Amino acid sequence: MTHTPGLLYVTMQPQASLPIVQFHDWYNNEHGPTRLRLPFFRNGFRYRALDLEGSGKGMPEWLAIYDVLDMAEMEREPYLRLRKDDVKSEREKDTMKQINIGRKLLDFVMAREAEAYEHQEKLGVGSEGNVLVVVNLNLQPGKKEELEKWYSEEHIPMLSKVPGWLRTRVFKSSSVDTRDQVEYYALHEYTPENGLGGEEHQASTSTPWSKEIFKSAAQRSGRRVFNLYYTFGPGPRDLTGLSSKDVAPFTSPDRRTQTFPASRHCGAAIESFVTTRDGVVLPYRLEGCSQPDAPLIVLSNSILVDWKIWDGFVAAFSSLPQNRTYRILRYLTRGRSSQCGDKPITIDVLASDIVELLDALRVPKAAAVIGVSLGGATVLNAGLKYPDRVAALLACDTSAKSPEGNKQTWATRIAVAEKDGAEGPTGEKVVGGELAELTVRRWFVQKSYDGGSTEALIGAVQNMVMTNSLDGFKKSVEALFEYDLRAEMKGCAVKGAFVVGSGDGKLPGVMKEMAAEFGHGAEYMVIDGAGHLPMVEQAQEFANVVTKFMTGPC
């Protein structure tokens, strides 16, 4: 089957009634990501006009473009349903009423790029501020071949000599668009420092052939100049506007995305999800510093719990002024729900999930990955397998190798849960109270059963364990059956640390050995008065340990 690649080209001008921060929050955290989740959208970019004081005066200030793998998808249900009122959120409907929108569907014609060009959507490419010049022409009847030949043989080759030129792409009115007038759109990309208006650029439009083209083949109907403002990803990540009083909390119609503006008591946060390449939905929570490129710390859970085990740590860590420059990402590990994919869950799969989260949130490299128990093995493996994506790792209460007899130990625990036969509110089988009670008794030190706030936290963790999907538990626990990272650890160059609760059985000794065997050596720290989940029992001390690690030498 032949596919026709192309472009969705959308100009937008918010009306005076729409606060600009509300416009950006809607676009960056709702509208754009819903498109990027569709597999036929390759990327998405927002641009802001640079020419509003000159030739673009009175024209739309904002442009969004999306590369589409096959323009036929623009007439199919997965995309069309996003445009239906019964699918749109109330916020989307209200916001779009206050925007003047121009929308074009364009088929790809040709492209040429500089030898060193790297696509803007590639992580780590320094494309901020890149300039986009858009020239659109109305084609005269019967002049298609002549116009395209001029582009291919003269105009684009001459533009390629302009200093700072990166790429030119030419599109035309799409075959799925019913308008009579055929338009050509040429998109020219340049570095922020460029030769636009210079000698080489002027030469490209002043040749005899150029003059003949504009005389007989096409009529220029517009020229705009923009610079790159924002690159979409499938995961909402823009915390910037959530500190404004003009932005309200938002919940998507399917309740899978929520945004929480900053308040006096807590900072801004986004809860949403990404979908992995094998179709698994990973819910996440992003919070902390609102700067879009703020360093990111990823927190990876133990088995059988959710991201709330980190609540006390996040509050304590964020209360220290030196830590307010970080963003913090929490997520639900595969196995929290029964929807955890068809392939066996291993620590390699779990490490790759962290990378997929980084990709979706457009983070080239995590400042640190921190995990406990299964999450500890996960972040250790992420540092070993993806050292270019992880600057530092801190593994808590875990092992570099699955203990002898681990498979049988977990099989016994699975049998306890199956015998319990507990069900959740939807009728799904869950782990249940018996294994939850046994688990938390093993995880927490006796001193924490104090009848006060710490015991209340244990109760919350017990409820997390109790309500975990039984099927998800049975699949995810397989990651702990057979693994051995000891050989890889010895050559690791990523900054590392190993932290353990003093009351976590044999693990203090095990993790001391891990620290000694890791790369050129790693920090080893023991948290007194804690068992398997020190970030729960001793949140402030754990925050102090992480702070010291993050500010220490590499």
Side-chain angles (χ1 to χ4, degrees), residues 35 53 135 157 181 200 228 298 313 316 342 380 399 425 431-432 451 466 479 494 499 513 518 531 545:
R35 273 91 187 129
E53 298 301 317
V135 178
Q181 175 64 58
E200 295 90 346
L228 183 62
V298 181
F313 160 71
D342 296 326
L380 174 58
S399 302
V431 165
M466 183 171 63
V494 173
V499 178
E513 292 178 6
F518 181 84
V545 164

Side-chain angles (χ1 to χ4, degrees), residues 176-209:
V176 302
D177 197 329
T178 58
R179 296 171 199 178
D180 293 332
Q181 175 64 58
V182 177
E183 292 183 287
Y184 274 70
Y185 279 71
L187 278 62
H188 311 291
E189 298 170 43
Y190 297 87
T191 60
E193 300 296 325
N194 56 67
L196 285 171
E199 181 180 344
E200 295 90 346
H201 184 244
Q202 291 182 25
S204 69
T205 57
S206 58
T207 66
W209 196 358

Side-chain angles (χ1 to χ4, degrees), residues 144-461:
K144 171 182 176 295
E145 288 77 13
E146 185 177 347
L147 177 62
E148 292 182 7
K149 184 177 181 181
W150 169 71
Y151 270 125
S152 176
E153 295 183 9
E154 181 185 88
H155 189 56
I156 298 176
M158 292 186 73
L159 283 176
S160 70
K161 297 183 173 74
V162 176
W165 175 85
L166 294 170
R167 177 170 70 160
T168 289
R169 296 190 293 165
V170 179
F171 299 85
K172 66 177 181 180
S173 301
S174 179
S175 57
V176 302
D177 197 329
T178 58
R179 296 171 199 178
D180 293 332
Q181 175 64 58
V182 177
E183 292 183 287
Y184 274 70
Y185 279 71
L187 278 62
H188 311 291
E189 298 170 43
Y190 297 87
T191 60
E193 300 296 325
N194 56 67
L196 285 171
E199 181 180 344
E200 295 90 346
H201 184 244
Q202 291 182 25
S204 69
T205 57
S206 58
T207 66
W209 196 358
S210 296
K211 293 175 182 178
E212 181 60 29
I213 285 293
F214 291 123
K215 179 180 178 182
S216 64
Q219 179 182 2
R220 179 183 287 184
S221 58
R223 180 182 185 274
R224 299 299 312 278
V225 183
F226 302 88
N227 69 353
L228 183 62
Y229 179 80
Y230 191 83
T231 301
F232 290 123
R237 68 181 193 277
D238 186 10
L239 296 167
T240 310
L242 293 173
S243 60
S244 169
K245 60 180 177 56
D246 289 323
V247 175
F250 167 71
T251 300
S252 63
D254 61 7
R255 307 196 67 79
R256 296 166 84 186
T257 295
Q258 292 183 279
T259 60
F260 305 91
S263 68
R264 266 194 330 147
H265 305 292
C266 59
I270 297 170
E271 292 182 4
S272 191
F273 68 95
V274 302
T275 304
T276 65
R277 291 179 182 85
D278 64 325
V280 174
V281 172
L282 298 178
Y284 68 84
R285 177 181 171 90
L286 179 68
E287 59 201 306
C289 180
S290 63
Q291 293 301 310
D293 296 321
L296 180 78
I297 295 173
V298 181
L299 305 178
S300 187
N301 304 334
S302 167
I303 198 167
L304 290 171
V305 299
D306 62 37
W307 63 51
K308 291 183 180 178
I309 63 165
W310 302 97
D311 281 355
F313 160 71
V314 170
F317 183 79
S318 301
S319 70
L320 300 173
Q322 65 267 43
N323 296 332
R324 292 173 190 161
T325 58
Y326 293 104
R327 291 177 293 167
I328 297 175
L329 175 68
R330 300 186 253 177
Y331 68 101
L332 297 187
T333 306
R334 288 185 192 233
R336 179 64 190 167
S337 77
S338 59
Q339 306 302 312
C340 48
D342 296 326
K343 63 184 179 183
I345 298 177
T346 65
I347 59 170
D348 284 349
V349 170
L350 298 178
S352 71
D353 284 346
I354 289 179
V355 174
E356 293 216 35
L357 284 159
L358 296 179
D359 288 345
L361 297 174
R362 297 199 54 77
V363 178
K365 194 171 193 174
V369 290
I370 301 173
V372 61
S373 191
L374 174 61
T378 299
V379 301
L380 174 58
N381 197 35
L384 299 175
K385 298 295 193 303
Y386 306 99
D388 57 329
R389 305 299 300 275
V390 173
L393 68 90
L394 192 152
C396 310
D397 298 82
T398 193
S399 302
K401 178 186 182 301
S402 51
E404 295 296 328
N406 216 28
K407 185 174 183 178
Q408 183 54 48
T409 299
W410 284 107
T412 301
R413 293 166 185 165
I414 289 171
V416 170
E418 289 180 324
K419 183 180 177 181
D420 197 335
E423 295 182 353
T426 64
E428 180 185 7
K429 295 288 185 182
V430 295
V431 165
E434 186 173 352
L435 182 60
E437 172 68 20
L438 293 171
T439 299
V440 297
R441 286 291 175 183
R442 193 175 72 252
W443 279 356
F444 296 100
V445 299
Q446 187 59 40
K447 183 181 176 182
S448 294
Y449 289 87
D450 57 1
S453 58
T454 305
E455 188 165 350
L457 293 174
I458 294 173
V461 173

